[in-house]
Structures are given as C-alpha cells and as structure tokens.
Amino acid sequence: MVTGEIATRPARGGLLRRVGAGALLPITVFAMALALWYNITGDGRTRFGDLDALLRRGALTPDRFSLIGPLFSAPLYLLGAAFGYPEGGVVFFNLAVFIIGLIALRALLRRHLAPATLRRFLLLLTAGSMFPAAVASYYGETFTAIAVSVGLAAALLAERRWARLTGWLFVALGVANTPATLLGLGLALLARVWATRRLRYALPGAVALALIMGESLLRRGSFFATGYMGDAGYKTVMPYSGLPGFSYPFLLGAASILFSFGKGLVFYTPGLFLPVKRRMLTRSAPGAGVWVWQLSCLLFVAGLIALYASWWGWTGDWYWGPRFFLIAGVPASCALAVWASRPSPRLWVNAGLLALLALSIWVGVDGAVFGTAGLQICQANHNQYGALCAYTPDYSALWVPFENLARYGFSPTFARVEYFQSRAALLLIIAPVVWLYLAAPLLRAAAEQSRNLGATVAPILRARVKSLRF
C-alpha cells in the first residue's frame, strides 16, 4: 500500500469496535446514574434551605455556604415546585452538572487528545473517580470541580475569544462557590502570568474574590464575614481535635490528605501522581495545550492541599472520601488515560498501571454502590471514633466492603449491612467491561512483554537445571 493511502471503506470489525467503544460511555453513565442513592443531607440540606428561602420568601440567609452553585439549580427547583416537590428536581442537580461537564470536556478536548485517549478519560471520570459518589448529593464540590476544570479547558484551549472569556467566568464562579479554593486558583493563575508575562491572567482571581466578598457583604453584612469564625469540631482522642480554624499541624495534615487509608488521595485519585508531561509534550503541538490545562488543574489541587492541610476539618467530616479534593479526579483521570493509551516498554510499569486502573474503577464503584454503609460507628458519641474511618484500613470506606464480604459472603446479611440495592447490579456488571476496555492496550503490551521475557529466561533456567548435580 502506498504511504498516505486512504481506505474508502473501513473494515467491518473496526467499525463495530468503534461503535461499541462509543456506546460504552453513555451506557456507563446510565448505569452509574441508576445505581446512585440520591439525597439532600448534611451541607446539602443547608444549601437547599438557603435556595428555598430565597425563591420562596425572597430572603437571603446568613449561612456560610455560597448561594452561587444553588442558584444554578433554580430551574430544577421550580420544575419540582410545579409538581409540589422542589427537592425532587434539585436532588438531580449535581448529576446534570456532571453530564454537562462530560459533554463540554469532550467538545473542548477532542482536538487535543486522541479519540481513544479522550474516551478513556471520560470513562475514568464516570466510573473510575470520586464523581459517582459526589453527584448523588447536593453538596457544592461537584459544581466547583466541573465549573473550574471545564472553565480552565475553555479558557486555555478554546479557539474563540468569547469561549475563553466564558471559561474564565465559570472558573471564577466555581471558585466563588467554594471560597477555600481561591488559593488553588491563585497558584494556577500565577503560573500563567509567569509563563506568558501577562498580568491579565490575574483578572479571574480578582473576579472570584469580588464575588466572594460581595456575597459576604450581602448576606452577612461585611466583606470579610465568612461564616466560619470560631468554627471547630468535637474534642476526641485525637490530640489536635476541638481547636478552631487553621489549628492542625501542616505536615500532619498534608500527610493525612495524601496517605491516610480513609481519605488519602493516593488511594482515591491514584492517577494524580503519574508523571505525564513528557507523554503530552512528545505528541504534536496540540498536546502542549492539554498539558497547560493539566498543569493548571494540578496546581489548583496543590493549592487545595496547602490550604486544607492546616484546617481542623480537612477530612470533610462524615462523608465518603476526600470530598474537598473532588477536582483532583480530573487531572488524575486524564493522566491515567494517557498512560493507558500508550503502554510503557517496561513490563513492571504496565503491570502497575493495570493495578492503578483497577483501583480507580473500584473507587468509582465503591462510591456509587456502597458509600459509607457499615461505618456508622465513626459517627457515634459525637465522632469519638471518626479517626478510625479517616486513618485505618479496617474502617476505610474503600476497604470495608471486602471485610464484610469475607465475613458474610454474598448473603442477605451482606446486602443489609452494605445497603446494597438491586439497581446497582448493572454498574457492577459494566465496571469490569470498562476496566477491560481501558486496560486493553496495556494487556496486549504486557502479554507480548511476558512472552519475550519468557523466551529470554526459559533457556537460562533450562541450562541451570541441566547443570544441577546430586
């Protein structure tokens, strides 16, 4: 065949594979959405109350949580209210935000990532990240994570000026929805100012700060009234518990955020720590753009770690996983997708990547299907045992389903303890299929490398065996 020749009709097998790969994402999204137990509890209940007070009575409450994210759910509130149940619409807000985010990321990244890599990235976000657990609630992290990550993609990768400006606006809105993320945005913007020598990249930070201070003035009467003054947790056996504000030792907090069994990013976002710069920059020029986006997301996460490491409530309280770091799943999934699409020449690296893919898929399945079931002991007596769920593998939300499975087997008792619902069965069936699709290049490479290794080692072993003497 002449180099550059274009096939006029693709092979049937290749076409079927592409159709199947394209259908896997919507099927996975459906399975994930079906498996979730939607609720409005905890911080989500407070946010809903603030929105309800505004839309029903026109009142601005002085609560600590921003109204920016909930305001975007107002159409769903009004739709539910038309049927006499406002919560019925709002409870699906984060799911809608996530799906819109997937569509937007696909549109923004399709010219910067190979189609197979982009599919793997979106599949990992759907079935191999903390997002499945987050979208079932009405907490604010999903809106912030999607607004910031998609906004950065638009601001840094979009070709049209209006799209870039819209991207920066959503970044500012996402940060204002969670004011603690301002430091993360500051690091990302500082990198852009340093790289481009243009101060205009500081403007989104100024807009976010203005939104935060303006909302504080409107709702709490002062530019600097955050609503967190004197805020502290219960006193427990932990030596620094019960102290307000940023009273936790920084090094202990950073180590806990990264490595604790119940909340550590090493376990919940394993792809976050993969070196990916060289793999992105050795591709064509568009790869440089996606690396800038990836770096911006990583710096944003670094800012979150730096801020929350000293805060008394870095764990996110009674919640599955490290909820404050939900956005870390975006660069983690992107890095893992890039590595999975281009296997390493080293067998041990590919074997490690297969394990990371399995762990990522389990994170998504565990968050969607099991959550914090069976861990109520960590809430007992004003969270006196909360450290067990944060630090130990025995009470980690990621691992306790395996303990209960070993204890009860596949039995009604296991289903009762883990609150297992039959509608989650589809996700449990889809998850291994997703892993096989994600891992296919790695499996092929590892199989070939294993054969080569066997062909090299086998003659040596035979020679050694023949040389043995009694």
Side-chain angles (χ1 to χ4, degrees):
M1 180 180 293
V2 178
T3 303
E5 182 179 348
I6 300 175
T8 57
R9 189 170 62 183
R12 185 178 179 184
L15 178 61
L16 290 177
R17 281 195 298 271
R18 285 194 294 272
V19 171
L24 187 56
L25 179 60
I27 292 173
T28 305
V29 171
F30 174 77
M32 180 268 291
L34 185 66
L36 298 176
W37 185 272
Y38 301 91
N39 61 80
I40 299 181
T41 58
D43 293 358
R45 175 57 56 185
T46 303
R47 292 174 187 272
F48 178 80
D50 296 340
L51 179 67
D52 183 70
L54 179 63
L55 297 182
R56 192 184 299 270
R57 306 192 310 271
L60 283 173
T61 61
D63 289 323
R64 67 184 66 176
F65 303 123
S66 174
L67 261 172
I68 290 176
L71 281 174
F72 279 85
S73 69
L76 291 175
Y77 176 98
L78 297 174
L79 179 62
F83 293 92
Y85 187 46
E87 292 185 27
V90 170
V91 75
F92 297 108
F93 172 63
N94 279 334
L95 176 63
V97 168
F98 177 69
I99 293 174
I100 292 171
L102 289 179
I103 296 171
L105 285 173
R106 183 185 181 279
L108 291 166
L109 298 177
R110 63 183 179 180
R111 294 186 179 181
H112 300 271
L113 287 174
T117 304
L118 181 56
R119 281 195 296 270
R120 288 187 173 88
F121 168 48
L122 299 179
L123 275 169
L124 278 166
L125 278 183
T126 304
S129 73
M130 297 186 291
F131 277 101
V135 301
S137 69
Y138 191 54
Y139 280 58
E141 286 76 24
T142 300
F143 179 84
T144 293
I146 294 299
V148 171
S149 59
V150 175
L152 284 173
L156 299 172
L157 301 176
E159 296 179 357
R160 298 185 180 276
R161 187 169 182 270
W162 67 266
R164 295 194 298 271
L165 292 176
T166 302
W168 285 124
L169 175 61
F170 270 94
V171 169
L173 289 170
V175 169
N177 183 60
T178 308
T181 62
L182 190 60
L183 178 59
L185 177 61
L187 289 182
L189 296 180
L190 182 61
R192 294 305 302 147
V193 171
W194 180 266
T196 63
R197 301 296 191 270
R198 295 180 178 177
L199 289 175
R200 68 187 185 193
Y201 284 107
L203 289 177
V207 173
L209 182 60
L211 289 171
I212 293 169
M213 297 180 70
E215 184 177 8
S216 294
L217 179 65
L218 285 174
R219 299 180 62 194
R220 293 177 285 274
S222 170
F223 286 117
F224 306 102
T226 64
Y228 284 90
M229 298 302 295
D231 187 49
Y234 293 107
K235 180 64 180 177
T236 69
V237 68
M238 299 300 286
Y240 298 99
S241 61
L243 299 177
F246 295 89
S247 55
Y248 204 79
F250 177 84
L251 291 179
L252 292 181
S256 300
I257 290 169
L258 293 173
F259 304 113
S260 61
F261 283 101
K263 301 285 184 175
L265 296 180
V266 165
F267 302 105
Y268 284 86
T269 58
L272 187 67
F273 305 94
L274 288 173
V276 75
K277 178 180 179 180
R278 182 176 299 178
R279 285 178 166 258
M280 288 182 172
L281 294 183
T282 52
R283 286 178 171 271
S284 57
V290 81
W291 163 245
V292 171
W293 173 69
Q294 175 83 355
L295 178 62
S296 298
C297 291
L298 289 172
L299 289 172
F300 192 92
V301 174
L304 298 186
I305 295 173
L307 181 87
Y308 281 110
S310 297
W311 192 44
W312 71 267
W314 65 267
T315 61
D317 203 11
W318 179 243
Y319 193 90
W320 179 92
R323 67 183 177 100
F324 298 137
F325 306 94
L326 178 63
I327 192 174
V330 177
S333 297
C334 185
L336 196 50
V338 170
W339 274 88
S341 299
R342 300 177 62 197
S344 169
R346 297 177 178 86
L347 175 61
W348 68 269
V349 173
N350 292 329
L353 290 170
L354 289 171
L356 291 184
L357 283 175
L359 176 57
S360 296
I361 293 297
W362 171 245
V363 167
V365 170
D366 182 60
V369 177
F370 301 107
T372 56
L375 294 173
Q376 287 72 20
I377 186 176
C378 295
Q379 282 186 300
N381 194 21
H382 300 301
N383 293 337
Q384 288 298 309
Y385 306 105
L388 293 176
C389 288
Y391 287 102
T392 67
D394 308 67
Y395 291 92
S396 167
L398 276 183
W399 314 122
V400 77
F402 293 108
E403 293 183 17
N404 288 328
L405 182 62
R407 186 177 298 136
Y408 306 114
F410 289 103
S411 66
T413 303
F414 173 80
R416 176 177 55 80
V417 171
E418 289 291 342
Y419 301 158
F420 181 77
Q421 303 292 321
S422 58
R423 64 175 181 269
L426 179 60
L427 181 60
L428 295 180
I429 294 171
I430 288 293
V433 177
V434 172
W435 181 85
L436 284 173
Y437 173 78
L438 295 172
L442 297 172
L443 290 171
R444 287 193 293 267
E448 181 64 25
Q449 290 162 344
S450 298
R451 285 194 295 269
N452 294 338
L453 180 63
T456 302
V457 173
I460 299 175
L461 291 178
R462 285 196 296 268
R464 291 290 184 180
V465 170
K466 290 180 179 179
S467 67
L468 293 176
R469 297 290 184 270
F470 180 71

